[in-house]
Amino acid sequence: MEQRRNKVDETHRGLPSQLTMPCRLLLGPGPSNVHPRVRAALGMNEVGHLDPSFLKIVAESQELLRYAWQTDNRFTIPVSGSGSAAMEACLANCVEQGDVVLIGVNGYFGERLCDMAARYGADVRRLEKSWGEVFSLEEMAAGIQTHRPAILGLVHAETSTGALQPMEGIGKLCREFDCLFLLDTVTSLGGIPVFLDRWHVDLAYSGSQKCLSCPPGIAPLTMNERALAKIGRRKTKVPNWYLDMSLLDKYWGNERTYHHTAPINMNYALREALLLVAEEGLGERWERHQENARILWEGLAELGIECLVDRDYRLASLTTAVVPDKVDAKSVCSYLMENYSIEIAGGLGQLAGKVWRIGLMGFNSRRENVLLLLSALDKAIADT
Ligand SMILES: *Cc1c(COP(=O)(O)O)cnc(C)c1O
């Protein structure tokens, strides 16, 4: 008996201390810092996922999401999981074995779309462009004419390169060729202009932890009637139970049938984040992101640092800054973290070691953050 008690005491002595986390300024490619109101929402009382108070706030979130995306799509929901879960939901539902899926690959997330589409049995065709460049409408038209895809997948804001894909005319082309238009808006929603309906986008997804400044773990997804009709024509079951929209639609529709337990508190946080977007107004918010990015770009130029992407296609929410000769990209990142508690990121894939990725997303897109980063970067380059 005595011996046993000792054993229990021993495990107690090994407990870690109460949780505390450092305060970081997250100026990388995401996550971004959470707005204080979003953090407060996250800590509110939990209720059941069929509680009338919960159903009311998710309906409000859906409406706020339609505003943020500029769409009237009925099927507009938050998916449980990060942006990649919503990305996978699009492909799992819309791709059937053998469908030709054409994907614009000019960065890391285009590659991820190819990988996911192939796993769901798509006949993947790639439209390639160097990282940091974007596709012209002529290149898109040629690709669609050659491949006659069932789905065209594009990344609006390539977080790996900092390039912004122009949208003009692409959706119309897809309608002409009877193809669904799938758009990744993870790093654009809530930061730079997005007009889903005007652009004839049929299905789109996003993430919570980029320009919406909400923690990661919940991801917006929207589909119009064209996309839902393709899903309705499926001959086979969606090969992913968790992300099967026909099952999920029964929860989101009037039936409110249990499918899986929604992440309750993440839904509070997302609603608050979307409310902040609506209170500020999309126009104001886009303008703020553009203005702070401009200050960053000018400041970088003064430090002798170039941007990878042409000014015309440069993303306000994420800048890829070219690492100057003889500067070690990693050491600078570590210096910023150790001395300023600022996080920026290095390059992904073929841009590893060549660029820094600097995010000015949502709540973090503020002048004082830009000025602090610029002076910290100046010091980091001098000292490393
Ligand atoms: C971050 C990101 C994703 C993936 O989102 P996760 O939340 O990391 O799963 C997809 N596409 C783009 C463009 C992104 O920036």
Side-chain angles (χ1 to χ4, degrees):
M1 198 58 206
E2 196 52 43
Q3 232 177 350
R4 229 151 118 205
R5 197 176 303 129
N6 278 345
K7 218 166 186 182
V8 169
D9 285 350
E10 222 165 62
T11 57
H12 276 254
R13 269 202 296 278
L15 282 180
S17 55
Q18 187 183 352
L19 183 68
T20 56
M21 294 305 290
C23 283
R24 307 282 193 219
L25 178 56
L26 302 175
L27 300 181
S32 56
N33 289 91
V34 166
H35 191 285
R37 265 174 59 186
V38 173
R39 189 170 304 117
L42 198 59
M44 290 203 178
N45 296 332
E46 48 288 337
V47 297
H49 67 118
L50 295 173
D51 190 297
S53 64
F54 186 67
L55 297 178
K56 177 169 174 289
I57 68 133
V58 292
E60 289 164 352
S61 271
Q62 288 180 283
E63 200 44 40
L64 289 164
L65 254 183
R66 291 184 189 106
Y67 166 70
W69 252 327
Q70 294 289 290
T71 181
D72 291 328
N73 292 346
R74 174 190 67 83
F75 193 89
T76 302
I77 66 164
V79 173
S80 309
S82 73
S84 304
M87 185 183 210
E88 186 138 10
C90 287
L91 296 165
N93 285 270
C94 283
V95 173
E96 257 189 308
Q97 197 71 33
D99 277 351
V100 173
V101 177
L102 179 63
I103 295 179
V105 184
N106 56 348
Y108 181 89
F109 291 102
E111 288 287 354
R112 183 173 293 183
L113 275 172
C114 292
D115 186 1
M116 279 191 190
R119 286 169 193 243
Y120 287 101
D123 173 0
V124 175
R125 313 285 174 88
R126 300 160 62 97
L127 207 56
E128 303 211 40
K129 201 83 199 203
S130 307
W131 285 35
E133 289 180 14
V134 294
F135 299 94
S136 68
L137 186 56
E138 292 69 37
E139 288 165 334
M140 280 290 147
I144 292 175
Q145 259 154 9
T146 306
H147 299 286
R148 303 290 170 134
I151 303 170
L152 169 71
L154 287 182
V155 178
H156 185 214
E158 238 313 338
T159 323
S160 62
T161 68
L164 174 64
Q165 174 61 47
M167 284 294 118
E168 222 48 60
I170 299 174
K172 273 222 181 88
L173 261 177
C174 290
R175 297 271 159 114
E176 262 171 54
F177 287 86
D178 196 23
C179 146
L180 287 183
F181 184 15
L182 161 67
L183 191 64
D184 175 317
T185 63
V186 178
T187 296
S188 50
L189 185 67
I192 57 167
V194 178
F195 297 98
L196 285 195
D197 287 359
R198 201 184 296 170
W199 294 342
H200 302 301
V201 173
D202 299 302
L203 58 163
Y205 57 89
S206 192
S208 54
Q209 76 277 20
K210 312 241 169 145
C211 299
L212 296 179
S213 293
C214 177
I218 191 160
L221 167 70
T222 189
M223 299 192 194
N224 65 11
E225 295 306 318
R226 289 181 86 225
L228 293 170
K230 183 171 189 324
I231 296 172
R233 288 192 301 270
R234 286 188 71 96
K235 293 186 195 73
T236 55
K237 272 190 177 177
V238 171
N240 183 319
W241 182 88
Y242 198 74
L243 299 172
D244 184 336
M245 291 303 131
S246 55
L247 299 176
L248 269 173
D249 202 21
K250 294 200 171 91
Y251 172 75
W252 288 100
N254 295 327
E255 297 168 57
R256 297 295 179 189
T257 310
Y258 166 71
H259 176 255
H260 71 266
T261 312
I264 305 293
N265 297 52
M266 285 308 301
N267 272 281
Y268 302 166
L270 180 66
R271 179 186 174 281
E272 199 66 14
L274 291 167
L275 184 58
L276 283 160
V277 172
E279 285 176 6
E280 182 174 8
L282 283 176
E284 289 281 317
R285 197 169 171 101
W286 296 336
E287 184 53 42
R288 171 165 64 82
H289 279 77
Q290 198 59 43
E291 174 59 13
N292 289 320
R294 189 189 62 76
I295 301 172
L296 174 66
W297 300 338
E298 281 175 12
L300 288 172
E302 275 167 32
L303 297 179
I305 299 172
E306 287 177 32
C307 291
L308 178 77
V309 178
D310 255 25
R311 182 83 191 225
D312 290 349
Y313 308 115
R314 205 178 288 163
L315 199 51
S317 46
L318 188 117
T319 298
T320 36
V322 179
V323 178
D325 279 347
K326 302 198 192 79
V327 174
D328 181 57
K330 263 199 185 135
S331 312
V332 168
C333 292
S334 310
Y335 184 98
L336 292 176
M337 179 58 86
E338 282 160 26
N339 294 282
Y340 291 86
S341 222
I342 294 177
E343 178 178 280
I344 65 166
L348 267 183
Q350 53 179 265
L351 292 176
K354 300 196 176 103
V355 298
W356 290 299
R357 290 183 300 151
I358 302 170
L360 293 175
M361 300 182 180
F363 179 54
N364 280 352
S365 171
R366 299 201 305 279
R367 188 184 150 86
E368 67 265 29
N369 288 343
V370 180
L371 299 180
L372 175 64
L373 175 68
L374 286 168
S375 64
L377 199 55
D378 190 17
K379 190 137 180 15
I381 290 171
D383 288 1
T384 54

